[in-house]
Amino acid sequence: MTIAVTGSTGQLGRLVIEKLKVRVPAGEIIALARDPAKAADLGVAVRAADYARPETLGPALAGVDTLLLISSDAIGQRLVQHGAVIDAAKAAGVKRIAYTSILRADASPLVLADEHKATEALIKASGLTYALLRNGWYTENYTGSLAGAVAAGALIGASGEGRISAATREDYAEAAAAVIATPDAESRVYELAGDVAFTRTDLAAEVSRQTGKTIPYNDLPEAEYARILESFGLPAPLAAILAQSDTGAAEGGLFDDGRQLSSLIGRPTTPLSVAVAAALAG
Ligand SMILES: NC(=O)c1ccc[n+]([C@@H]2O[C@H](COP(=O)([O-])OP(=O)(O)OC[C@H]3O[C@@H](n4cnc5c(N)ncnc54)[C@H](OP(=O)(O)O)[C@@H]3O)[C@@H](O)[C@H]2O)c1
């Protein structure tokens, strides 16, 4: 069986390749990369595959049985890019496609879900066997900016008291590896999220506990949070989308208690305290 993984040079993709190598012989894995040189250290075969250059995709997918399509980071262009990969997979005779979607893509209040929902529809229409890996939020989305928050003396956001079932990239990568390493003739949808949900207030309390400083959570209106993200250097459209995602989280859009992720990986998802400690340790 040959398994190919797109986005193998990204933070999630690198972890997927690492986890996959534990489950299947390295000779059965192909890392697909926009820039193959960036994947040279992965210890598996590398092929060039650029979502935005469809002519690269057919050769990249030749002989591949199972494909993991890691969603592109080019928000706004993703449907076209993903569509090109799905078309190429079908043409190349790929049998099964897994895709990193978003938690409850079909019912999510997050604007970010639109491209995922549309991609899922293309995958279903392709006739390929599929595994939709509907990933919740990465814990790193929150812990990545902790140093700045501690320096500023407060956490900010617009997620109110919304409970967020985040898990680490490593947790999601292990789940993706488990799914694609296991042959399966059935199409499936997985809602993947952390075991223990937290609010931004819980996060601030954990950061306060670990730093010994009082770091409150200041909840902001969506537009104000977007303006502040923009002032940090984020492009306006991205700032708006991230702030809207927080509003969606406030409505429960990032909460899940189905525990399918821990069931797939055979262990609890990484606790918030562990992720916070890792982030604070730098
Ligand atoms: N669940 C969440 O909380 C969350 C948060 C952020 C993002 N995401 C989604 O999950 C995906 C993976 O997350 P991540 O943390 O691994 O993101 P990341 O580190 O930014 O990696 C993105 C990957 O996509 C590749 N890529 C971008 N454009 C491409 C193209 N035109 N052709 C081929 N490859 C292309 C990048 O290649 P290069 O190395 O060449 O740039 C990189 O390997 C993201 O792309 C995004 O869709 C989810």
Side-chain angles (χ1 to χ4, degrees):
M1 185 171 73
T2 302
I3 303 174
V5 178
T6 72
S8 64
T9 54
Q11 299 165 89
L12 183 72
R14 286 190 162 272
L15 290 166
V16 171
I17 299 283
E18 184 186 309
K19 307 287 178 193
L20 207 46
K21 281 161 71 179
V22 177
R23 293 176 180 267
V24 301
E28 295 184 10
I29 305 169
I30 300 173
L32 302 177
R34 168 162 56 177
D35 175 1
K38 278 179 76 177
D41 62 329
L42 292 174
V44 298
V46 180
R47 291 184 187 170
D50 185 336
Y51 305 147
R53 292 195 299 130
E55 69 277 12
T56 63
L57 300 173
L61 296 173
V64 169
D65 300 302
T66 296
L67 171 67
L68 172 62
L69 169 57
I70 291 186
S71 53
S72 169
D73 54 7
I75 296 169
Q77 297 158 48
R78 296 197 280 191
L79 187 57
V80 172
Q81 293 189 349
H82 296 163
V85 178
I86 296 159
D87 286 349
K90 193 170 179 188
V94 169
K95 294 177 193 66
R96 182 171 174 234
I97 185 166
Y99 170 67
T100 60
S101 186
I102 192 170
L103 193 63
R104 280 192 298 285
D106 47 351
S108 175
L110 277 67
V111 167
L112 264 179
D114 293 352
E115 286 176 305
H116 289 294
K117 186 176 168 183
T119 300
E120 288 190 359
L122 291 181
I123 288 172
K124 288 177 180 171
S126 75
L128 300 179
T129 301
Y130 60 81
L132 301 178
L133 306 169
R134 290 180 167 173
N135 291 346
W137 247 218
Y138 301 154
T139 310
E140 290 89 341
N141 295 350
Y142 305 101
T143 57
S145 55
L146 280 189
V150 171
L155 257 65
I156 56 166
S159 55
E161 285 305 298
R163 297 171 70 202
I164 299 161
S165 308
T168 61
R169 280 193 183 86
E170 185 169 13
D171 295 334
Y172 293 112
E174 211 166 312
V179 167
I180 59 179
T182 310
D184 191 348
E186 293 294 315
S187 288
R188 298 183 199 277
V189 179
Y190 299 92
E191 304 288 354
L192 301 176
D195 288 344
V196 181
F198 58 87
T199 64
R200 277 280 205 349
T201 304
D202 296 333
L203 173 62
E206 183 58 31
V207 174
S208 301
R209 191 183 69 77
Q210 292 198 22
T211 58
K213 296 177 184 160
T214 304
I215 312 283
Y217 169 53
N218 294 337
D219 195 58
L220 304 171
E222 182 184 319
E224 196 181 334
Y225 183 44
R227 268 196 301 278
I228 292 178
L229 290 176
E230 226 183 303
S231 77
F232 292 162
L234 264 68
L238 181 60
I241 281 174
L242 294 182
Q244 196 279 335
S245 296
D246 258 28
T247 307
E251 293 167 24
L254 293 175
F255 175 77
D256 180 80
D257 58 2
R259 300 203 171 200
Q260 290 184 45
L261 176 47
S262 50
S263 156
L264 269 180
I265 63 182
R267 61 165 175 81
T269 58
T270 307
L272 180 63
S273 58
V274 171
V276 167
L280 292 176

